[in-house]
Amino acid sequence: RFFVSAHASLEELFAIGTIASGPDRVTINWRVREKPQPPNTKFKIPPVDAPNVRGARDLGFNVGSGNGVPDVSALRAAVDRDDVKVLYVFDPGPDGTLGDIDWILAARKHGKIGVLIVQGALHTPLTEAADIVLPGAAWVEKDAIYTNDQGLVQGASKAINAPGESVEDWQVLTSVAAALGLPYTYTTSQQVRVDLASHLS
C-alpha cells in the first residue's frame, strides 16, 4: 500500500498509481489547518494545505467526500487487520504537510506494518522509523505539474539543483518500478507527461 502526500505532482501520482496497480491501493493525505490571514480579509482561504487534491481526484484516487478532510479510514483498517505487509510513504514536503502520521508510527512500533519505506526530501520521524529511506527532491528542485481546485493545470519549474546525487522523485519511482519488473523506460519528465496525458484523455 501507498500513503501519499497531496503535495505530490501529477507525474509522481501517475507513477505511484501505476506501481500500485490501481488507485485503490493508494491513500492520499494532507494537512488541514487554518491559515493566518490579515484582519478584515474578504476572501477566505480554505484550510486544505495541499496543492494537488484535485489532480489526485482526476487520476482516480480517493480523496474523501469533498469536505476538505482526507479519508484514511480504509488504510487504517487494513493496517489494524495486519493486511499491510509493506507501506510505501511518499512525502515530498514541506514539513508537516503529509498530515497525521502518528498512527503510522504507532502501528510500526506495534508490528502492524512489516516493512516501512519512506521517500522524501526531509528527515522526519517517519524516516527514523523506516526500514528503507529513498531520498527525494524538494519542490524547488524539480519540474512538475499540479491541478488546482479550479481544474487548471499549473507548472512549477526547478529553481535549484538537488544536492549530491539526488534526483527528481519521478526518477526514484521509475527506478522502483524497474526493480519490480514494470516496463518503465522513462528518461525525461516529458515522457511521463505524455503517458499521463494519454491516461487522462
Side-chain angles (χ1 to χ4, degrees):
R1 297 288 191 101
F2 287 79
F3 186 73
V4 179
S5 167
H7 278 258
S9 70
L10 289 175
E11 298 92 340
E12 295 153 358
L13 289 169
F14 175 69
I16 288 168
T18 304
I19 294 169
S21 300
D24 57 322
R25 303 185 61 79
V26 179
T27 299
I28 307 293
N29 202 42
W30 59 88
R31 174 172 60 186
V32 176
R33 66 182 176 114
E34 291 300 322
K35 298 180 181 134
Q37 292 180 270
N40 303 319
T41 301
K42 295 179 181 176
F43 178 73
K44 179 79 171 155
I45 298 175
V48 175
D49 189 359
N52 213 13
V53 174
R54 173 72 180 260
R57 180 184 297 115
D58 290 348
L59 286 170
F61 297 108
N62 178 11
V63 293
S65 62
N67 61 359
V69 178
D71 181 7
V72 300
S73 60
L75 178 60
R76 289 187 76 158
V79 168
D80 288 342
R81 291 190 309 266
D82 293 322
D83 286 348
V84 179
K85 305 304 179 206
V86 179
L87 182 63
Y88 192 119
V89 177
F90 181 66
D91 181 13
D95 189 28
T97 55
L98 183 59
D100 178 25
I101 59 167
D102 289 342
W103 67 275
I104 296 175
L105 295 169
R108 175 73 171 142
K109 182 178 178 182
H110 293 100
K112 292 285 190 179
I113 299 171
V115 177
L116 179 61
I117 301 169
V118 178
Q119 179 179 338
L122 302 170
H123 185 89
T124 67
L126 277 178
T127 59
E128 287 287 327
D131 296 290
I132 299 169
V133 177
L134 301 171
W139 64 274
V140 295
E141 299 167 343
K142 58 188 168 186
D143 293 320
I145 53 174
Y146 305 85
T147 305
N148 69 16
D149 285 343
Q150 289 75 42
L152 300 175
V153 174
Q154 298 177 316
S157 297
K158 178 166 49 174
I160 59 175
N161 291 323
E165 297 179 15
S166 299
V167 296
E168 293 186 32
D169 287 294
W170 70 266
Q171 293 170 289
V172 175
L173 293 164
T174 296
S175 296
V176 169
L180 294 171
L182 297 174
Y184 269 36
T185 57
Y186 301 125
T187 57
T188 67
S189 58
Q190 180 61 34
Q191 292 172 336
V192 180
R193 289 186 197 118
V194 168
D195 276 2
L196 169 62
S198 65
H199 173 80
L200 290 173
S201 32

